[in-house]
């Protein structure tokens, strides 16, 4: 029986993905999961690849968004999916979830992955919440989709406030990432989704 | 699609595994209250006529 607690997030760090990223973090925290991502790893220095591999390996599940296709080409997401697949194939204790914004596109862009259903979020935060809730089972029961969406909405507003305070346009910064997870946890506790 | 079974971690477990500092928690709490404050301040103040209606209703019930 799988009881995932740490989830590695492999997503594009671009402005258009920011609301989806915050929604993803918020929904995982509502479900009592620990969202982990490369923002926790220092940008430069030797051994970055090893540290990424260790971080992926320390998580029981990883979520990979492959919705960014076209130019400029971004190889980080498929590359980290490859790392996760190697882990899953070697020890079988790693769950892999792939997301895209359009249905059936992955059959063309990543035909080796055919036969598995990606989550299709259509670049919509509400759809992303529904996809994630459909994917998991948890006891005590799942929060209602509207409750999870409402928390994600509040978290997105909080993330915008944090960006404003830190005078940065991007949520993809290490300290901001931790503050967003802390905010998600605080909101989730205040609404009774997780224990303090 | 098969369902993935999950167990919930607590907020403190989440904070510990990510190494979230008290400063970051404080920053988060501050932003949450700022958002709540903005939300409250955006609420429209009741109009004069609404106030009069409420006052009349109170008078009629002897409040």
């Amino acid at each position: 029986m799988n009881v995932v607690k740490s989830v590695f997030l492999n997503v594009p760090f671009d402005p258009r993905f920011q609301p989806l990223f915050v929604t993803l973090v918020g929904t995982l925290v509502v479900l009592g999961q620990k969202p982990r991502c490369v923002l926790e790893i220092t940008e430069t220095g030797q051994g970055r690849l090893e540290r990424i591999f260790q971080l992926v390996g320390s998580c029981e599940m990883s979520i990979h968004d492959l919705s960014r296709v076209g130019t400029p080409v971004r190889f980080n997401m498929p590359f980290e999916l490859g790392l996760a697949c190697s882990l899953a194939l070697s020890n079988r204790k790693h769950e892999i979830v792939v997301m895209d914004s359009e249905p059936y596109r992955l059959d063309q862009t990543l035909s080796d992955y055919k036969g598995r259903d990606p989550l299709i979020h259509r670049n919509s935060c509400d759809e992303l919440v529904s996809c994630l809730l459909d994917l998991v089972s948890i006891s005590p029961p799942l929060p209602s989709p509207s409750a999870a969406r409402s928390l994600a909405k509040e978290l997105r507003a909080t993330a915008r406030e944090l960006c404003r305070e830190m005078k940065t346009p991007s949520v993809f910064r290490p300290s901001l990432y931790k503050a967003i997870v802390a905010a998600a946890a605080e909101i989730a506790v205040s609404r009774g989704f997780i224990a303090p | 699609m098969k369902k993935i079974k999950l167990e919930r971690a607590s907020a403190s477990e989440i904070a510990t595994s990510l190494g979230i500092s008290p400063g970051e928690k404080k920053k988060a709490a501050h932003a949450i209250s700022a958002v709540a404050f903005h939300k409250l301040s955006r609420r429209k103040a009741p109009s004069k006529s609404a106030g009069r209606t409420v006052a009349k209703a109170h008078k009629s019930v002897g409040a």
Side-chain angles (χ1 to χ4, degrees), chain A residues 1 16 84 170:
Chain A
M1 187 173 101
R16 274 198 306 145
S170 171

Side-chain angles (χ1 to χ4, degrees), chain A residues 9-62:
Chain A
L9 304 181
N10 173 23
V11 300
F13 290 168
D14 65 37
R16 274 198 306 145
F17 201 81
Q18 289 192 70
L20 289 163
F21 177 69
V22 176
T23 302
L24 187 55
V25 168
T27 311
L28 287 171
V29 171
V30 163
L31 296 169
Q33 305 304 296
K34 304 166 190 171
R36 312 295 306 269
C37 91
V38 289
L39 290 170
E40 297 171 48
I41 294 170
T42 46
E43 192 60 46
T44 52
Q46 280 191 328
R48 179 172 160 82
L49 180 57
E50 284 85 347
R51 279 177 282 149
I52 292 175
F53 190 66
Q54 276 171 7
L55 183 60
V56 180
S58 70
C59 297
E60 294 84 8
M61 181 165 107
S62 49

Side-chain angles (χ1 to χ4, degrees), chain A residues 22-23 25-30 145-158 183-191 193:
Chain A
V22 176
T23 302
V25 168
T27 311
L28 287 171
V29 171
V30 163
S146 58
R149 283 187 200 122
S150 152
L151 181 141
K153 191 177 173 192
E154 188 176 344
L155 187 62
R156 289 196 295 275
T158 306
E186 184 160 335
I187 301 169
V189 168
S190 72
R191 297 187 182 194
F193 292 126

